[in-house]
Amino acid sequence: MDRATDMPERPAHLAEEPRVNDYDRFAEAYSAQSENSLVNAYYERPAMLALAGDVAGRRILDAGCGSGALFAALRDRGAEVTGLDASAGMLALARQRLGADAPLHVADLKDPLPFADGAFDDVVASLVLHYLEDWGPTLAELRRVLAPGGRLIASVDHPFVAYTIQEPRPDYSAVTSYSFDWMLDGQLVPMRFWRRPLHAMTDAFTVAGFRLAAFSEPQPDPAARELFPEDFPGLSAKPVFLFFVLEVPPATT
């Protein structure tokens, strides 16, 4: 269809506004900051690995793999890992870390996944679901690519914390977005997440065909106490992320 000639041009100041969640723009800065940070390296990743347990020989999809830190840790534990991320910039860093033979795919979790039914024993989704307004299509696809008896292991922003990020407080029972700026390598980068109540999370998992096996509100790795003496007490005393282990029912005979 031809462009309408009487439509006004997009204002210049809007055209120059930076995109939200633009990981291609700040891939290197984010990867460097999260590599050894208290929240990522001594809290979120150890918790994901603990929930995954013994992964030797298991086929794992790292959905939203970023620059590959969790991918590498799972592979070191003997898993057969495939990575997927919407950011080509983050995957370029993952390629440098993981090598030329690592199976990495540029794909958006809002779209159908480029994998066969039952292709994986586990899916790990590390801090990615809160970027999505609608979990339904994504969870359906993750369920599809999991084999019977497989697991989805996911971490998200804790709903109680997300609820507090706005004044006046939003409606806790509603799915709402919130925006903020991250400071990365001296630059502010605009971000947008979606918050939802805890019951909406568990309802979405159930509708997609998962059953809840465990959820966790872990403590940070005690080794971080001496490394981050100022921040460790605060992280130990408040909720930050919420972790789920969801199972696909085993095949019936």
Side-chain angles (χ1 to χ4, degrees):
M1 184 168 60
D2 292 337
R3 182 180 183 277
T5 56
D6 58 347
M7 290 292 289
E9 293 288 339
R10 179 177 172 85
H13 73 280
L14 292 180
E16 296 171 358
E17 288 181 355
R19 294 169 50 201
V20 297
N21 308 335
D22 186 4
Y23 276 88
D24 284 341
R25 174 187 168 201
F26 54 83
E28 291 190 6
Y30 175 79
S31 181
Q33 178 170 300
S34 63
E35 187 73 21
N36 296 300
S37 71
L38 170 61
V39 170
N40 296 99
Y42 293 91
Y43 175 57
E44 196 275 339
R45 282 200 298 274
M48 291 290 285
L49 292 169
L51 290 172
D54 183 3
V55 296
R58 295 183 71 84
R59 303 165 300 163
I60 299 180
L61 173 63
D62 188 349
C65 66
S67 60
L70 182 58
F71 184 123
L74 291 166
R75 190 174 66 177
D76 288 346
R77 288 160 172 76
E80 301 174 10
V81 191
T82 298
L84 176 151
D85 202 279
S87 168
M90 294 299 286
L91 286 182
L93 297 176
R95 179 68 66 199
Q96 294 175 21
R97 180 200 302 268
L98 301 168
D101 295 335
L104 298 172
H105 302 263
V106 178
D108 196 311
L109 285 174
K110 293 181 289 188
D111 299 328
L113 300 178
F115 308 112
D117 295 359
F120 300 100
D121 301 307
D122 297 315
V123 172
V124 292
S126 173
L127 302 178
V128 294
L129 290 176
H130 47 237
Y131 289 94
L132 305 174
E133 179 180 7
D134 184 0
W135 284 13
T138 298
L139 291 178
E141 276 294 281
L142 297 180
R143 168 68 177 80
R144 180 186 65 79
V145 302
L146 278 166
R151 303 175 301 172
L152 167 61
I153 304 167
S155 59
V156 297
D157 269 1
H158 200 295
F160 300 166
V161 175
Y163 171 64
T164 67
I165 305 177
Q166 186 174 314
E167 289 292 350
R169 291 282 198 270
D171 179 357
Y172 174 76
S173 64
V175 176
T176 57
S177 67
Y178 60 103
S179 300
F180 56 95
D181 289 329
W182 270 349
M183 177 64 74
L184 288 173
D185 195 27
Q187 62 176 332
L188 290 176
V189 293
M191 306 298 294
R192 179 182 298 130
F193 289 174
W194 291 88
R195 60 188 154 213
R196 68 201 69 230
L198 179 57
H199 76 265
M201 296 181 182
T202 57
D203 287 351
F205 294 137
T206 300
V207 169
F210 293 101
R211 61 188 184 190
L212 179 63
F215 73 91
S216 176
E217 297 170 301
Q219 288 288 296
D221 184 340
R225 186 184 301 275
E226 294 184 3
L227 296 171
F228 303 92
E230 295 183 2
D231 297 328
F232 184 90
L235 183 61
S236 301
K238 65 184 179 183
V240 179
F241 303 136
L242 189 58
F243 297 76
F244 296 93
V245 179
L246 296 312
E247 293 180 344
V248 175
T252 56
T253 57

